[in-house]
Amino acid sequence: MAGAFRDDDLAARQRADALKQRVQALEAEKQALTEQLARKPYTPSQKKALPIALLPLLLGGLLLLATGATAGRVPVRFLAGGVVLLAAVLGAVMMRQLLRARPGELWVISGGPATPRPDGSVVGYRLLRPGEQRFLIPFMELATSMSLRPFPVNTRVEQVFAPGGETWTLEASLLLKLDPTNPHGAVERFLGQPEEAIARLGREVLEGALRETAAHQAPGDRERLREQLEETLGENLSKLGLAVETILALDARRISG
């Protein structure tokens, strides 16, 4: 009998520890959602390569100096100063051409030569991933940024029909992001679009996934509903080049049935 009491006490402590861990996880998710909602939405930016026409002008100036120095009309010290000035200008121009991708940022470089993909297809742009850098080809290339940071999507769907004739109201909050395994899909659909437009499409997909999931899985089983929703969302979002970072909250309230 004493052993049975010890087993019950151990099981109770384990359940209490599991509940405590679950509460901590929910608090962490709530904090993450708060931070995501508080941050400023990402707006795409562009960087154009400087015109290559600047280079002939600089070289022409250097040639005039050299010609004048050879003819004796320009002192050598002026020629040396012109060379130093030209080197400084060219250095500044080249640094302006250097593009670096910061953490959580993807640059899409259009123009220039075509780029083959692993599947054998060819695209007219190149991707600059976080931590990478390269020089833009003057006059030819244009770079547009895209955010890889997760962004919040929230929705509330009413009159959702479930098996057995039940009617439910479902609410969900989650973080979406561009699919790192399918960046080309995201580029082809969302390049140049603000985060609000991407989030609006994500919300429409989420609403459809909630209705589709509830039609096959009773919302009363939250864990099972969450698993099915993640699976359905993953399939639908991957076609758009998006992915689920995490589901922050999922609530279901039965109206009738």
Short mmCIF file of all heavy atoms in Angstrom, two decimals, residues 5 7 15 18 30 62 84 105 121 133 147 158 179 215 248:
data_model
loop_
_atom_site.label_atom_id
_atom_site.label_comp_id
_atom_site.label_asym_id
_atom_site.label_seq_id
_atom_site.Cartn_x
_atom_site.Cartn_y
_atom_site.Cartn_z
N PHE A 5 1.09 4.47 -2.73
CA PHE A 5 1.03 5.90 -2.44
C PHE A 5 2.24 6.63 -3.02
O PHE A 5 2.12 7.74 -3.54
CB PHE A 5 0.96 6.14 -0.92
CG PHE A 5 -0.41 5.90 -0.36
CD1 PHE A 5 -0.61 4.99 0.67
CD2 PHE A 5 -1.51 6.58 -0.86
CE1 PHE A 5 -1.86 4.77 1.19
CE2 PHE A 5 -2.78 6.35 -0.34
CZ PHE A 5 -2.96 5.44 0.69
N ASP A 7 3.96 5.72 -5.68
CA ASP A 7 3.77 5.80 -7.13
C ASP A 7 2.81 6.91 -7.50
O ASP A 7 3.02 7.66 -8.47
CB ASP A 7 3.26 4.46 -7.66
CG ASP A 7 4.32 3.36 -7.55
OD1 ASP A 7 5.51 3.70 -7.41
OD2 ASP A 7 3.93 2.17 -7.58
N ARG A 15 3.10 15.02 -13.39
CA ARG A 15 2.05 15.80 -14.07
C ARG A 15 2.20 17.28 -13.77
O ARG A 15 2.01 18.13 -14.64
CB ARG A 15 0.67 15.29 -13.65
CG ARG A 15 0.30 13.93 -14.22
CD ARG A 15 -1.18 13.66 -14.07
NE ARG A 15 -1.57 13.60 -12.66
CZ ARG A 15 -1.58 12.49 -11.94
NH1 ARG A 15 -1.21 11.34 -12.48
NH2 ARG A 15 -1.96 12.52 -10.67
N ALA A 18 5.06 18.62 -15.81
CA ALA A 18 4.68 18.75 -17.21
C ALA A 18 3.79 19.97 -17.42
O ALA A 18 3.93 20.70 -18.40
CB ALA A 18 3.97 17.48 -17.68
N LYS A 30 3.64 33.56 -26.00
CA LYS A 30 2.93 34.84 -25.86
C LYS A 30 3.91 36.00 -25.98
O LYS A 30 3.61 37.01 -26.63
CB LYS A 30 2.21 34.89 -24.50
CG LYS A 30 1.47 36.20 -24.25
CD LYS A 30 0.80 36.18 -22.89
CE LYS A 30 0.09 37.51 -22.62
NZ LYS A 30 -0.54 37.52 -21.28
N LEU A 62 41.57 61.37 -66.53
CA LEU A 62 42.94 60.93 -66.32
C LEU A 62 43.75 61.03 -67.61
O LEU A 62 44.93 61.44 -67.61
CB LEU A 62 42.94 59.49 -65.81
CG LEU A 62 44.33 58.87 -65.56
CD1 LEU A 62 45.09 59.67 -64.51
CD2 LEU A 62 44.18 57.42 -65.12
N VAL A 84 45.59 60.05 -57.71
CA VAL A 84 45.11 59.74 -56.36
C VAL A 84 43.61 60.01 -56.25
O VAL A 84 42.85 59.22 -55.68
CB VAL A 84 45.89 60.56 -55.31
CG1 VAL A 84 45.26 60.40 -53.93
CG2 VAL A 84 47.35 60.13 -55.28
N GLU A 105 17.69 38.57 -44.07
CA GLU A 105 17.45 39.37 -45.27
C GLU A 105 17.91 38.60 -46.50
O GLU A 105 19.00 38.02 -46.51
CB GLU A 105 18.18 40.71 -45.17
CG GLU A 105 17.87 41.69 -46.28
CD GLU A 105 18.57 43.01 -46.06
OE1 GLU A 105 19.81 43.00 -45.88
OE2 GLU A 105 17.89 44.05 -46.05
N SER A 121 16.11 24.19 -64.62
CA SER A 121 15.49 25.39 -65.17
C SER A 121 16.43 26.59 -65.01
O SER A 121 17.41 26.55 -64.27
CB SER A 121 14.15 25.67 -64.48
OG SER A 121 14.34 25.88 -63.09
N GLN A 133 27.89 38.24 -49.81
CA GLN A 133 28.10 39.56 -50.40
C GLN A 133 28.66 39.42 -51.81
O GLN A 133 29.28 38.42 -52.14
CB GLN A 133 29.04 40.41 -49.54
CG GLN A 133 30.44 39.85 -49.41
CD GLN A 133 31.32 40.71 -48.53
OE1 GLN A 133 30.82 41.49 -47.71
NE2 GLN A 133 32.63 40.59 -48.67
N SER A 147 12.38 40.02 -46.75
CA SER A 147 12.61 39.67 -45.35
C SER A 147 12.40 38.18 -45.13
O SER A 147 11.42 37.60 -45.59
CB SER A 147 11.68 40.46 -44.43
OG SER A 147 11.82 40.04 -43.09
N GLU A 158 -15.77 32.03 -37.91
CA GLU A 158 -17.01 31.64 -37.26
C GLU A 158 -17.82 30.71 -38.17
O GLU A 158 -17.56 30.63 -39.38
CB GLU A 158 -17.84 32.87 -36.90
CG GLU A 158 -17.12 33.82 -35.93
CD GLU A 158 -17.98 35.02 -35.56
OE1 GLU A 158 -19.05 35.18 -36.16
OE2 GLU A 158 -17.56 35.79 -34.68
N ASP A 179 9.53 30.36 -47.15
CA ASP A 179 10.00 28.98 -47.04
C ASP A 179 11.48 28.91 -47.42
O ASP A 179 11.84 29.16 -48.58
CB ASP A 179 9.17 28.09 -47.97
CG ASP A 179 9.48 26.61 -47.76
OD1 ASP A 179 10.40 26.29 -46.98
OD2 ASP A 179 8.78 25.78 -48.37
N ALA A 215 -13.35 20.18 -40.75
CA ALA A 215 -14.29 19.31 -41.45
C ALA A 215 -13.92 17.84 -41.31
O ALA A 215 -14.78 16.96 -41.46
CB ALA A 215 -14.36 19.68 -42.93
N LEU A 248 1.24 29.94 -32.45
CA LEU A 248 1.32 30.56 -31.13
C LEU A 248 0.08 30.27 -30.28
O LEU A 248 0.18 30.06 -29.08
CB LEU A 248 1.51 32.07 -31.27
CG LEU A 248 2.79 32.50 -31.98
CD1 LEU A 248 2.77 34.01 -32.22
CD2 LEU A 248 4.01 32.11 -31.18
#
